[in-house]
Protein backbone atom coordinates (compact mmCIF):
# COMPACT_ATOMS: atom_id res chain seq x y z
CA UNK A 1 0.00 0.00 0.00
CA UNK A 2 1.11 3.45 -0.71
CA UNK A 3 1.49 5.24 2.57
CA UNK A 4 3.42 8.29 3.43
CA UNK A 5 5.91 10.86 2.56
CA UNK A 6 8.21 12.44 5.07
CA UNK A 7 10.39 14.83 3.09
CA UNK A 8 8.10 15.47 0.20
CA UNK A 9 6.12 13.28 -2.15
CA UNK A 10 8.34 10.28 -1.76
CA UNK A 11 8.81 7.12 0.17
CA UNK A 12 6.48 4.23 0.82
CA UNK A 13 4.94 2.92 3.95
CA UNK A 14 2.39 0.21 4.27
CA UNK A 15 0.32 0.85 7.37
CA UNK A 16 -0.93 4.26 8.46
CA UNK A 17 -2.41 5.20 11.81
CA UNK A 18 -3.34 8.58 13.16
CA UNK A 19 -1.33 10.07 16.00
CA UNK A 20 -1.04 13.46 17.60
CA UNK A 21 2.27 15.19 18.17
CA UNK A 22 2.10 18.23 20.40
CA UNK A 23 5.22 20.30 21.01
CA UNK A 24 5.87 22.84 23.72
CA UNK A 25 6.61 26.48 23.12
CA UNK A 26 3.58 27.28 20.98
CA UNK A 27 2.32 30.84 20.85
CA UNK A 28 -1.31 31.37 21.83
CA UNK A 29 -3.37 31.57 18.64
CA UNK A 30 -7.09 31.33 18.08
CA UNK A 31 -8.30 28.78 15.56
CA UNK A 32 -11.70 29.45 14.00
CA UNK A 33 -13.69 26.43 12.87
CA UNK A 34 -17.14 27.28 11.68
CA UNK A 35 -18.49 29.49 14.46
CA UNK A 36 -16.42 27.87 17.21
CA UNK A 37 -13.18 29.35 18.53
CA UNK A 38 -10.74 26.94 20.14
CA UNK A 39 -7.91 28.55 22.12
CA UNK A 40 -5.39 26.74 24.27
CA UNK A 41 -2.29 28.14 25.87
CA UNK A 42 0.85 26.57 24.44
CA UNK A 43 -0.75 24.73 21.51
CA UNK A 44 -3.46 25.08 18.90
CA UNK A 45 -5.15 22.42 16.90
CA UNK A 46 -7.75 22.96 14.18
CA UNK A 47 -10.75 20.68 14.38
CA UNK A 48 -12.22 19.66 11.02
CA UNK A 49 -15.85 19.71 10.00
CA UNK A 50 -17.30 18.80 6.65
CA UNK A 51 -15.33 21.50 4.88
CA UNK A 52 -11.97 20.53 6.37
CA UNK A 53 -9.93 22.85 8.59
CA UNK A 54 -8.77 26.43 8.52
CA UNK A 55 -6.04 27.91 10.69
CA UNK A 56 -6.20 31.64 11.47
CA UNK A 57 -2.90 33.44 11.03
CA UNK A 58 -0.24 33.86 8.37
CA UNK A 59 1.86 31.00 7.11
CA UNK A 60 5.59 31.33 7.49
CA UNK A 61 6.97 33.65 4.81
CA UNK A 62 10.66 33.75 5.68
CA UNK A 63 13.06 32.69 2.96
CA UNK A 64 16.21 33.44 1.03
CA UNK A 65 15.31 36.59 -0.90
CA UNK A 66 18.10 35.94 -3.42
CA UNK A 67 16.34 32.92 -4.88
CA UNK A 68 14.80 29.56 -4.20
CA UNK A 69 16.99 26.71 -3.01
CA UNK A 70 18.75 24.49 -5.53
CA UNK A 71 21.04 21.71 -4.39
CA UNK A 72 21.02 18.69 -2.06
CA UNK A 73 20.10 17.80 1.52
CA UNK A 74 21.42 14.71 3.30
CA UNK A 75 19.45 13.20 6.19
CA UNK A 76 20.44 10.65 8.81
CA UNK A 77 17.52 8.25 9.19
CA UNK A 78 16.62 6.49 12.42
CA UNK A 79 13.98 3.76 12.46
CA UNK A 80 12.98 2.14 15.75
CA UNK A 81 10.73 -0.88 15.65
CA UNK A 82 7.84 -1.10 18.10
CA UNK A 83 7.39 -4.84 17.56
CA UNK A 84 9.33 -7.60 19.28
CA UNK A 85 9.40 -9.71 16.12
CA UNK A 86 10.41 -6.91 13.74
CA UNK A 87 14.02 -5.73 13.96
CA UNK A 88 15.05 -2.13 13.33
CA UNK A 89 16.84 -3.34 10.20
CA UNK A 90 13.70 -4.96 8.83
CA UNK A 91 11.63 -1.92 9.77
CA UNK A 92 13.94 0.08 7.50
CA UNK A 93 13.08 -2.33 4.67
CA UNK A 94 9.36 -2.17 5.35
CA UNK A 95 9.59 1.61 5.07
CA UNK A 96 11.95 1.30 2.06
CA UNK A 97 14.43 3.68 3.67
CA UNK A 98 18.11 3.16 4.50
CA UNK A 99 20.31 4.87 7.10
CA UNK A 100 20.84 7.90 4.84
CA UNK A 101 18.51 9.85 2.57
CA UNK A 102 19.77 12.28 -0.09
CA UNK A 103 17.30 14.77 -1.55
CA UNK A 104 18.29 16.74 -4.67
CA UNK A 105 16.00 19.52 -5.90
CA UNK A 106 15.67 22.10 -8.66
CA UNK A 107 12.70 24.16 -9.88
CA UNK A 108 10.05 21.95 -8.30
CA UNK A 109 11.64 18.63 -9.28
CA UNK A 110 13.05 16.29 -6.63
CA UNK A 111 15.09 13.10 -6.52
CA UNK A 112 15.18 11.12 -3.27
CA UNK A 113 17.85 8.43 -3.02
CA UNK A 114 18.12 5.77 -0.33
CA UNK A 115 19.65 2.33 0.01
CA UNK A 116 16.46 0.71 -1.25
CA UNK A 117 14.96 3.06 -3.85
CA UNK A 118 15.19 6.22 -5.93
CA UNK A 119 12.13 8.44 -6.05
CA UNK A 120 11.54 11.14 -8.66
CA UNK A 121 8.98 13.89 -8.11
CA UNK A 122 8.41 15.65 -11.44
CA UNK A 123 6.37 18.82 -11.37
CA UNK A 124 5.35 18.95 -15.02
CA UNK A 125 4.30 15.28 -15.06
CA UNK A 126 2.36 15.74 -11.80
CA UNK A 127 3.59 12.31 -10.81
CA UNK A 128 5.88 10.61 -8.33
CA UNK A 129 8.01 7.81 -9.80
CA UNK A 130 9.69 5.10 -7.72
CA UNK A 131 12.49 2.78 -8.81
CA UNK A 132 13.11 0.07 -6.23
CA UNK A 133 16.62 -1.33 -6.33
CA UNK A 134 15.62 -4.96 -6.95
CA UNK A 135 12.70 -4.46 -9.34
CA UNK A 136 13.32 -3.55 -12.99
CA UNK A 137 10.23 -1.39 -13.31
CA UNK A 138 9.52 2.26 -12.54
CA UNK A 139 6.27 2.73 -10.63
CA UNK A 140 4.25 5.92 -10.44
CA UNK A 141 1.59 7.69 -8.42
CA UNK A 142 -0.43 10.68 -9.61
CA UNK A 143 -0.16 13.85 -7.52
CA UNK A 144 -3.95 13.72 -7.04
CA UNK A 145 -4.06 10.18 -5.62
CA UNK A 146 -3.82 11.07 -1.89
CA UNK A 147 -7.35 11.77 -0.66
CA UNK A 148 -6.60 11.97 3.08
CA UNK A 149 -8.31 14.97 4.67
CA UNK A 150 -6.35 17.40 6.83
CA UNK A 151 -7.89 17.46 10.31
CA UNK A 152 -5.49 19.72 12.16
CA UNK A 153 -2.47 21.99 11.91
CA UNK A 154 -0.23 22.74 14.90
CA UNK A 155 2.47 25.40 14.70
CA UNK A 156 5.49 25.80 16.95
CA UNK A 157 7.14 29.19 16.54
CA UNK A 158 9.78 28.62 19.20
CA UNK A 159 13.22 28.84 17.55
CA UNK A 160 14.95 25.46 17.20
CA UNK A 161 18.35 24.92 15.60
CA UNK A 162 18.82 22.01 13.19
CA UNK A 163 22.17 21.57 11.45
CA UNK A 164 23.12 25.17 12.22
CA UNK A 165 19.89 26.59 10.75
CA UNK A 166 17.16 28.32 12.73
CA UNK A 167 13.87 26.43 12.39
CA UNK A 168 10.22 26.60 13.32
CA UNK A 169 7.89 23.67 13.77
CA UNK A 170 4.63 22.49 12.26
CA UNK A 171 2.57 19.34 12.57
CA UNK A 172 0.05 18.45 9.88
CA UNK A 173 -2.55 15.91 10.90
CA UNK A 174 -4.82 13.90 8.64
CA UNK A 175 -7.47 11.32 9.38
CA UNK A 176 -4.74 8.64 9.09
CA UNK A 177 -1.39 10.03 10.18
CA UNK A 178 0.38 13.03 11.66
CA UNK A 179 3.71 14.37 10.43
CA UNK A 180 5.89 16.64 12.52
CA UNK A 181 8.42 18.94 10.86
CA UNK A 182 11.03 21.52 11.77
CA UNK A 183 11.63 23.77 8.78
CA UNK A 184 14.25 26.37 7.92
CA UNK A 185 13.39 30.05 8.27
CA UNK A 186 15.94 31.00 5.59
CA UNK A 187 15.92 28.20 3.00
CA UNK A 188 12.90 27.62 0.83
CA UNK A 189 11.54 26.41 -2.49
CA UNK A 190 8.77 27.99 -4.54
CA UNK A 191 5.50 26.99 -2.82
CA UNK A 192 3.74 27.16 -6.19
CA UNK A 193 5.74 24.15 -7.35
CA UNK A 194 3.78 21.84 -5.01
CA UNK A 195 0.34 23.36 -5.35
CA UNK A 196 -1.04 20.41 -7.35
CA UNK A 197 0.54 17.74 -5.18
CA UNK A 198 -1.79 16.09 -2.67
CA UNK A 199 0.64 13.26 -1.83
CA UNK A 200 1.28 13.44 1.92
CA UNK A 201 -0.29 16.90 1.89
CA UNK A 202 2.68 18.45 0.07
CA UNK A 203 0.54 21.34 -1.16
CA UNK A 204 -0.72 22.08 2.36
CA UNK A 205 2.82 22.01 3.76
CA UNK A 206 4.13 24.33 1.04
CA UNK A 207 1.31 26.80 1.62
CA UNK A 208 1.60 26.78 5.40
CA UNK A 209 5.40 27.21 5.45
CA UNK A 210 5.95 29.28 2.31
CA UNK A 211 7.89 26.42 0.74
CA UNK A 212 10.42 26.19 3.59
CA UNK A 213 12.89 23.30 3.53
CA UNK A 214 12.24 20.50 5.99
CA UNK A 215 15.31 19.84 8.11
CA UNK A 216 13.82 17.45 10.69
CA UNK A 217 10.88 15.08 10.24
CA UNK A 218 9.25 12.46 12.47
CA UNK A 219 6.47 10.00 11.74
CA UNK A 220 4.87 7.41 14.00
CA UNK A 221 3.56 4.14 12.62
CA UNK A 222 1.94 1.21 14.43
CA UNK A 223 5.12 -0.83 14.00
CA UNK A 224 7.94 1.78 13.99
CA UNK A 225 9.04 5.37 14.54
CA UNK A 226 11.04 7.08 11.81
CA UNK A 227 13.08 10.25 12.34
CA UNK A 228 14.95 12.04 9.56
CA UNK A 229 17.54 14.64 10.66
CA UNK A 230 19.36 16.82 8.12
CA UNK A 231 23.14 16.57 8.54
CA UNK A 232 24.28 18.44 5.42
CA UNK A 233 22.91 21.24 3.23
CA UNK A 234 24.69 21.78 -0.07
CA UNK A 235 23.70 24.72 -2.28
CA UNK A 236 24.82 23.97 -5.83
CA UNK A 237 23.77 23.97 -9.46
CA UNK A 238 21.89 20.78 -10.33
CA UNK A 239 21.96 19.34 -13.84
CA UNK A 240 18.60 18.50 -15.41
CA UNK A 241 19.64 14.93 -16.22
CA UNK A 242 19.52 14.12 -12.47
CA UNK A 243 15.73 13.96 -12.82
CA UNK A 244 15.73 11.74 -15.92
CA UNK A 245 13.88 8.48 -15.33
CA UNK A 246 15.64 5.13 -15.86
CA UNK A 247 14.98 3.52 -19.23
CA UNK A 248 12.67 0.85 -17.85
CA UNK A 249 9.01 -0.14 -18.15
CA UNK A 250 6.65 2.19 -16.28
CA UNK A 251 3.66 0.88 -14.32
CA UNK A 252 1.07 2.25 -11.91
CA UNK A 253 2.13 1.36 -8.37
CA UNK A 254 -1.04 -0.53 -7.47
CA UNK A 255 -1.40 -2.37 -10.79
CA UNK A 256 -0.13 -5.61 -9.17
CA UNK A 257 0.95 -6.78 -5.71
CA UNK A 258 4.44 -5.67 -4.66
CA UNK A 259 4.38 -7.04 -1.10
CA UNK A 260 4.48 -10.80 -0.54
CA UNK A 261 4.25 -12.54 2.83
CA UNK A 262 5.91 -15.86 3.73
CA UNK A 263 4.44 -19.03 2.28
CA UNK A 264 5.25 -22.70 1.98
CA UNK A 265 7.07 -23.50 -1.27
CA UNK A 266 4.52 -24.69 -3.79
CA UNK A 267 1.57 -23.06 -2.03
CA UNK A 268 -1.40 -24.51 -0.15
CA UNK A 269 -1.56 -27.78 -2.08
CA UNK A 270 2.12 -28.51 -1.38
CA UNK A 271 1.59 -27.67 2.31
CA UNK A 272 -1.28 -30.16 2.53
CA UNK A 273 0.85 -32.82 0.86
CA UNK A 274 3.64 -32.16 3.36
CA UNK A 275 1.25 -32.51 6.31
CA UNK A 276 -0.21 -35.72 4.89
CA UNK A 277 3.26 -37.20 4.57
CA UNK A 278 4.62 -35.99 7.92
CA UNK A 279 1.82 -35.95 10.51
CA UNK A 280 1.26 -39.02 12.66
CA UNK A 281 -2.28 -40.09 11.62
CA UNK A 282 -2.79 -42.19 14.76
CA UNK A 283 -2.88 -39.04 16.92
CA UNK A 284 -6.00 -37.74 15.17
CA UNK A 285 -7.68 -41.12 15.60
CA UNK A 286 -6.91 -41.07 19.33
CA UNK A 287 -7.49 -37.47 20.33
CA UNK A 288 -10.01 -35.98 17.90
CA UNK A 289 -13.47 -36.93 19.10
CA UNK A 290 -16.33 -37.47 16.68
CA UNK A 291 -19.59 -36.40 18.29
CA UNK A 292 -22.52 -38.76 18.33
CA UNK A 293 -24.46 -38.50 15.11
CA UNK A 294 -21.54 -36.93 13.22
CA UNK A 295 -19.40 -38.59 10.59
CA UNK A 296 -16.28 -36.52 10.94
CA UNK A 297 -14.46 -34.13 13.25
CA UNK A 298 -11.28 -32.07 13.26
CA UNK A 299 -9.06 -29.85 15.36
CA UNK A 300 -6.82 -27.13 13.96
CA UNK A 301 -3.65 -26.12 15.76
CA UNK A 302 -2.66 -22.54 14.89
CA UNK A 303 1.08 -21.99 14.90
CA UNK A 304 2.96 -18.70 14.93
CA UNK A 305 6.56 -18.59 13.75
CA UNK A 306 9.18 -16.41 12.11
CA UNK A 307 10.49 -16.90 8.57
CA UNK A 308 13.98 -15.48 8.13
CA UNK A 309 15.35 -13.85 4.98
CA UNK A 310 16.82 -17.21 3.95
CA UNK A 311 13.47 -18.99 4.57
CA UNK A 312 14.53 -20.68 7.83
CA UNK A 313 11.64 -21.26 10.27
CA UNK A 314 12.16 -20.45 13.96
CA UNK A 315 10.34 -19.45 17.14
CA UNK A 316 7.42 -21.84 16.67
CA UNK A 317 4.63 -21.42 19.26
CA UNK A 318 1.01 -22.56 19.51
CA UNK A 319 -1.44 -19.67 19.47
CA UNK A 320 -4.58 -21.57 20.51
CA UNK A 321 -3.09 -24.02 23.00
CA UNK A 322 -6.10 -23.76 25.33
CA UNK A 323 -8.44 -24.85 22.52
CA UNK A 324 -6.68 -28.00 21.31
CA UNK A 325 -5.38 -31.25 22.73
CA UNK A 326 -1.84 -30.82 24.08
CA UNK A 327 -0.58 -33.90 22.19
CA UNK A 328 -1.88 -32.50 18.91
CA UNK A 329 -0.23 -29.16 19.68
CA UNK A 330 3.13 -30.87 20.21
CA UNK A 331 2.79 -32.85 17.00
CA UNK A 332 2.01 -29.70 15.02
CA UNK A 333 5.10 -28.01 16.44
CA UNK A 334 7.23 -31.03 15.58
CA UNK A 335 6.05 -31.03 11.99
CA UNK A 336 6.63 -27.30 11.61
CA UNK A 337 10.16 -27.57 12.98
CA UNK A 338 10.89 -30.27 10.37
CA UNK A 339 9.49 -28.11 7.60
CA UNK A 340 11.75 -27.24 4.66
CA UNK A 341 12.64 -23.61 4.19
CA UNK A 342 9.74 -21.31 3.37
CA UNK A 343 9.64 -18.58 0.76
CA UNK A 344 10.44 -15.40 2.75
CA UNK A 345 8.47 -12.17 2.79
CA UNK A 346 9.49 -9.50 0.31
CA UNK A 347 8.69 -5.80 0.39
CA UNK A 348 9.26 -4.25 -3.02
CA UNK A 349 11.96 -6.77 -3.81
CA UNK A 350 13.69 -6.73 -0.40
CA UNK A 351 13.61 -9.92 1.70
CA UNK A 352 12.40 -9.33 5.26
CA UNK A 353 12.20 -11.53 8.33
CA UNK A 354 8.49 -11.81 9.08
CA UNK A 355 6.23 -13.48 11.63
CA UNK A 356 3.20 -15.36 10.35
CA UNK A 357 0.62 -17.96 11.33
CA UNK A 358 -0.32 -21.27 9.79
CA UNK A 359 -2.93 -23.87 10.71
CA UNK A 360 -2.23 -27.61 11.08
CA UNK A 361 -5.43 -29.61 10.80
CA UNK A 362 -6.06 -33.02 12.40
CA UNK A 363 -9.17 -34.71 11.04
CA UNK A 364 -10.88 -38.07 11.48
CA UNK A 365 -13.82 -39.76 9.80
CA UNK A 366 -15.96 -42.67 10.93
Amino acid sequence: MRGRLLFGPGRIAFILIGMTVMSGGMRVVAQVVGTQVIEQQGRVRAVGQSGGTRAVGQAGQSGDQQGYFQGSLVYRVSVQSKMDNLSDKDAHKVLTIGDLLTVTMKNGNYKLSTEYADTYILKDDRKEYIKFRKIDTVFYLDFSSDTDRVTGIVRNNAAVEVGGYSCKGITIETNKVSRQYYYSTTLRTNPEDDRHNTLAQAAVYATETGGALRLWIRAEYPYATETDSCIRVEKKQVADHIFRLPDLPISELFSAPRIFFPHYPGGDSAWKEYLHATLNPKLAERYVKVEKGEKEAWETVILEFAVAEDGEVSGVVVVNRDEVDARLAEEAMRVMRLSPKWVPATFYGEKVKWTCQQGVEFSVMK
Side-chain angles (χ1 to χ4, degrees), residues 6 17 27 31 39 55 118 134-135 139 191 198 200 218 221 245 263 277 297 312 319 325 341 347:
L6 291 190
I17 189 168
R27 62 190 173 116
Q31 304 277 356
E39 182 171 351
D118 287 328
K134 296 183 179 179
I135 302 179
F139 302 104
T198 68
R218 171 166 290 167
Y221 297 96
L245 295 176
H263 62 273
E312 196 73 40
V319 175
D325 188 281
K341 290 185 176 182
F347 281 72

Side-chain angles (χ1 to χ4, degrees), residues 142-163:
D142 292 318
F143 277 6
S144 60
S145 61
D146 191 341
T147 58
D148 288 351
R149 181 174 59 88
V150 174
T151 57
I153 296 174
V154 180
R155 295 192 185 91
N156 181 350
N157 286 332
V160 175
E161 187 175 289
V162 179

Side-chain angles (χ1 to χ4, degrees), residues 59-69 166 168 183-191 209-213 235:
Q61 297 297 320
S62 59
D64 185 349
Q65 297 304 316
Q66 297 179 355
Y68 296 118
F69 182 85
S166 178
K168 293 182 180 180
Y183 59 90
S184 170
T185 57
T186 57
L187 303 172
R188 66 190 180 105
T189 58
N190 187 346
T209 66
L213 295 190
K235 299 180 183 179

Side-chain angles (χ1 to χ4, degrees), residues 9-289:
R11 302 179 317 250
I12 304 296
F14 308 101
I15 303 175
L16 293 180
I17 189 168
M19 64 98 179
T20 303
V21 180
M22 294 297 185
S23 301
M26 305 287 182
R27 62 190 173 116
V28 177
V29 179
Q31 304 277 356
V32 179
V33 183
T35 58
Q36 182 183 19
V37 176
I38 301 173
E39 182 171 351
Q40 295 176 295
Q41 184 173 0
R43 69 187 186 189
V44 179
R45 176 175 179 174
V47 181
Q49 293 183 351
S50 59
T53 66
R54 179 168 67 91
V56 177
Q58 297 296 319
Q61 297 297 320
S62 59
D64 185 349
Q65 297 304 316
Q66 297 179 355
Y68 296 118
F69 182 85
Q70 181 179 162
S72 296
L73 306 179
V74 179
Y75 297 83
R76 179 178 290 111
V77 180
S78 170
V79 177
Q80 294 181 312
S81 174
K82 298 178 180 178
M83 300 171 58
D84 293 338
N85 51 17
L86 181 67
S87 69
D88 291 349
K89 177 183 177 182
D90 285 331
H92 271 276
K93 292 181 180 180
V94 171
L95 294 171
T96 63
I97 182 70
D99 295 326
L100 292 176
L101 164 68
T102 300
V103 181
T104 304
M105 63 191 75
K106 177 184 180 181
N107 298 333
N109 294 322
Y110 302 84
K111 181 180 179 181
L112 287 69
S113 296
T114 79
E115 179 182 348
Y116 300 113
D118 287 328
T119 299
Y120 303 81
I121 300 99
L122 303 185
K123 178 180 66 174
D124 292 341
D125 290 8
R126 296 189 183 181
K127 284 182 172 60
E128 171 185 312
Y129 299 91
I130 307 156
K131 168 59 179 75
F132 298 101
R133 297 280 181 238
K134 296 183 179 179
I135 302 179
D136 290 331
T137 301
V138 175
F139 302 104
Y140 73 87
L141 284 168
D142 292 318
F143 277 6
S144 60
S145 61
D146 191 341
T147 58
D148 288 351
R149 181 174 59 88
V150 174
T151 57
I153 296 174
V154 180
R155 295 192 185 91
N156 181 350
N157 286 332
V160 175
E161 187 175 289
V162 179
Y165 291 89
S166 178
C167 295
K168 293 182 180 180
I170 189 169
T171 298
I172 299 175
E173 301 175 3
T174 75
N175 55 320
K176 291 184 178 179
V177 70
S178 182
R179 299 177 178 88
Q180 183 183 8
Y181 308 92
Y182 282 105
Y183 59 90
S184 170
T185 57
T186 57
L187 303 172
R188 66 190 180 105
T189 58
N190 187 346
E192 285 297 303
D193 289 338
D194 288 328
R195 66 190 180 94
H196 297 293
N197 194 348
T198 68
L199 295 174
Q201 293 68 52
V204 174
Y205 174 88
T207 300
E208 293 294 329
T209 66
L213 295 190
R214 311 155 177 84
L215 298 185
W216 186 93
I217 311 104
R218 171 166 290 167
E220 296 283 348
Y221 297 96
Y223 49 85
T225 299
E226 179 185 343
T227 304
D228 300 349
S229 302
C230 185
I231 57 175
R232 186 166 69 248
V233 176
E234 185 178 358
K235 299 180 183 179
K236 63 180 180 180
Q237 293 296 312
V238 176
D240 291 338
H241 71 79
I242 295 295
F243 308 104
R244 190 175 301 153
L245 295 176
D247 187 15
L248 291 169
I250 297 176
S251 177
E252 203 276 329
L253 182 63
F254 298 135
S255 61
R258 315 295 174 194
I259 301 170
F260 300 95
F261 295 103
H263 62 273
Y264 188 82
D268 289 343
S269 59
W271 171 249
K272 291 178 181 178
E273 290 176 4
Y274 170 71
L275 292 182
H276 180 74
T278 313
L279 284 174
N280 182 350
K282 295 182 179 180
L283 293 177
E285 296 172 2
R286 293 174 184 172
Y287 304 117
V288 177
K289 297 180 180 179

Side-chain angles (χ1 to χ4, degrees), residues 325-341:
D325 188 281
R327 288 150 294 197
L328 299 181
E330 290 303 317
E331 174 66 1
M333 293 179 68
R334 181 190 71 84
V335 169
M336 180 58 73
R337 293 189 181 111
L338 292 175
S339 168
K341 290 185 176 182

